[in-house]
Amino acid sequence: DVKAICEHGTTARHVACSWGHADLVEVLHGAGADLGIQDGDGMTPEMVARNGNVWQLSRISNDERADVIRFFDSRIELRPES
């Protein structure tokens, strides 16, 4: 279920972003996943990608994180209205 949320509010989108899997983020988006959903800390998947989770930053390359950020930058429709 692309809309599944764990007890801490984390979704597959959050995990994919934090690990730098732009291809998976795109698949989840195409399957109808809400990329604007907040986790238990109030972080959206995009915020996770841009800020990174400290314990995971050393495990992914800057290129992987940049790929996820480019995914969000190229999709203006995912931005919440101001």
Side-chain angles (χ1 to χ4, degrees), residues 1-68:
D1 179 6
V2 298
K3 297 180 181 182
I5 301 171
C6 84
E7 62 194 51
H8 304 289
T10 303
T11 67
R13 284 83 65 202
H14 291 93
V15 174
C17 287
S18 67
W19 284 101
H21 293 293
D23 53 344
L24 183 53
V25 175
E26 191 153 2
V27 167
L28 290 165
H29 174 60
D34 179 2
L35 295 174
I37 195 166
Q38 295 180 349
D39 65 12
D41 295 322
M43 301 281 283
T44 65
E46 180 177 8
M47 293 165 79
V48 169
R50 291 189 184 279
N51 299 322
N53 287 345
V54 174
W55 64 276
Q56 292 171 345
L57 279 176
S58 62
R59 294 189 174 124
I60 66 169
S61 72
N62 287 334
D63 288 342
E64 289 170 320
R65 203 162 111 217
D67 286 345
V68 175

